[in-house]
Amino acid sequence: MAPPTDRDEILRHLRSQIAAGIPILGSGAGIGLSAKFVESGGGDLIIIYNSGRFRMAGRGSLAGLMPYGNANDIMLEMAKEILPIIQHTPVLAGICASDPYLPPSLPSYLRHLKSLGLCGVQNFPTVGLIDGQFRAHLEQTGMGYDLEVNLVKEARALEMLTTPYVFNPEEAKKMAKAGADIIVAHMGLTTGGSIGAAKAVGEKREKALDDCVERVQAIRDAVQGVNPQIIVLCHGGAMATPKDAGYVLGRTKGVHGFYGASSIERLPVENAVTEVTRAFKGLKMGGRR
């Protein structure tokens, strides 16, 4: 078996789950092992992008936005590892749309990705995670978010699945008008663990989750105003565990699931490896020494 690439078939499956009250779960995968067991656990979408490789090397996800290698070349290397191990879960490519070394014909590049078995695209690395003067200069010098919107538009024209990250209602509207199938409301770098953003606790954490509720709902409402058929997922920020995601999903309307990355392939590994190592070190030896 091979990962499906038919956009209509994938969307029919996702919408049937939504109709049945089952949340959609997408996940980043930095290595074949992560991808294999996301599929085993019932994940609906697997996305491969350069931050996953850095994340599983013990580095923070924001390494994917730094000049540590060509993001699109790294994604293609990851595809060679991950695609052969996946049997029935759609696999998408995270593309850096502002890469000046993308082939001159974006449609030709996208058709090549589809021929490899990649069903669609996500805009990552994304300038949406950048703010302040640096972001303003990126926009002014032709390396801004609109290139990511165009990526989605071109992929949609080729009947590829599109699942872009958006960071505010205005970006959500742009992506919806470009033809996005699934919009992922990104709340920022995931908190917690050894390489995540600072973790809020107690009342502060609840406040951070309430802020996610408000922001995710605003993005969903903006999408609804353009195209009510678009699937909306939430991601990042204070949503580091299933309980956190459930808090947000239970308090928003018209949000269809969760997209995980650090929360699925990094945090569980950190905890599991730490605990099993401690358990082995805690064993008692018998007999003579």
Side-chain angles (χ1 to χ4, degrees), residues 46 93 149 164 169 240 272 279:
I46 292 171
V149 176

PDB file of all heavy atoms in Angstrom, residues 46 93 149 164 169 240 272 279:
ATOM      1  N   ILE A  46      -0.052  13.285   7.997  1.00  0.00           N
ATOM      2  CA  ILE A  46       1.338  13.395   8.413  1.00  0.00           C
ATOM      3  C   ILE A  46       1.984  14.466   7.556  1.00  0.00           C
ATOM      4  O   ILE A  46       1.850  14.463   6.331  1.00  0.00           O
ATOM      5  CB  ILE A  46       2.074  12.053   8.236  1.00  0.00           C
ATOM      6  CG1 ILE A  46       1.526  11.013   9.234  1.00  0.00           C
ATOM      7  CG2 ILE A  46       3.584  12.225   8.424  1.00  0.00           C
ATOM      8  CD1 ILE A  46       2.042   9.609   9.002  1.00  0.00           C
ATOM      9  N   ALA A  93       3.877  17.865   2.239  1.00  0.00           N
ATOM     10  CA  ALA A  93       5.198  18.489   2.251  1.00  0.00           C
ATOM     11  C   ALA A  93       5.107  19.882   2.856  1.00  0.00           C
ATOM     12  O   ALA A  93       4.274  20.693   2.432  1.00  0.00           O
ATOM     13  CB  ALA A  93       5.743  18.583   0.830  1.00  0.00           C
ATOM     14  N   VAL A 149       0.755  32.340   0.550  1.00  0.00           N
ATOM     15  CA  VAL A 149      -0.614  32.333   0.022  1.00  0.00           C
ATOM     16  C   VAL A 149      -0.600  31.859  -1.430  1.00  0.00           C
ATOM     17  O   VAL A 149      -1.440  31.047  -1.848  1.00  0.00           O
ATOM     18  CB  VAL A 149      -1.249  33.739   0.138  1.00  0.00           C
ATOM     19  CG1 VAL A 149      -2.633  33.751  -0.505  1.00  0.00           C
ATOM     20  CG2 VAL A 149      -1.339  34.175   1.598  1.00  0.00           C
ATOM     21  N   PRO A 164      -2.646  25.170   5.233  1.00  0.00           N
ATOM     22  CA  PRO A 164      -1.723  26.214   5.684  1.00  0.00           C
ATOM     23  C   PRO A 164      -1.892  26.634   7.147  1.00  0.00           C
ATOM     24  O   PRO A 164      -2.974  26.585   7.713  1.00  0.00           O
ATOM     25  CB  PRO A 164      -2.076  27.392   4.763  1.00  0.00           C
ATOM     26  CG  PRO A 164      -3.512  27.174   4.417  1.00  0.00           C
ATOM     27  CD  PRO A 164      -3.651  25.687   4.291  1.00  0.00           C
ATOM     28  N   PRO A 169      -6.788  36.481  11.923  1.00  0.00           N
ATOM     29  CA  PRO A 169      -7.941  36.410  11.013  1.00  0.00           C
ATOM     30  C   PRO A 169      -7.660  36.911   9.607  1.00  0.00           C
ATOM     31  O   PRO A 169      -8.207  36.360   8.640  1.00  0.00           O
ATOM     32  CB  PRO A 169      -8.988  37.280  11.721  1.00  0.00           C
ATOM     33  CG  PRO A 169      -8.655  37.162  13.177  1.00  0.00           C
ATOM     34  CD  PRO A 169      -7.144  37.141  13.213  1.00  0.00           C
ATOM     35  N   ALA A 240      -0.178  21.749  24.664  1.00  0.00           N
ATOM     36  CA  ALA A 240       0.941  20.817  24.633  1.00  0.00           C
ATOM     37  C   ALA A 240       0.526  19.377  24.882  1.00  0.00           C
ATOM     38  O   ALA A 240       1.299  18.465  24.607  1.00  0.00           O
ATOM     39  CB  ALA A 240       1.994  21.227  25.659  1.00  0.00           C
ATOM     40  N   ALA A 272       8.991   9.553  27.919  1.00  0.00           N
ATOM     41  CA  ALA A 272       9.117   8.099  27.928  1.00  0.00           C
ATOM     42  C   ALA A 272      10.569   7.656  28.093  1.00  0.00           C
ATOM     43  O   ALA A 272      10.867   6.751  28.890  1.00  0.00           O
ATOM     44  CB  ALA A 272       8.530   7.517  26.649  1.00  0.00           C
ATOM     45  N   ALA A 279      13.947   3.951  35.258  1.00  0.00           N
ATOM     46  CA  ALA A 279      13.498   2.639  35.724  1.00  0.00           C
ATOM     47  C   ALA A 279      14.615   1.609  35.634  1.00  0.00           C
ATOM     48  O   ALA A 279      14.824   0.804  36.562  1.00  0.00           O
ATOM     49  CB  ALA A 279      12.287   2.180  34.911  1.00  0.00           C
TER      50      ALA A 279
END
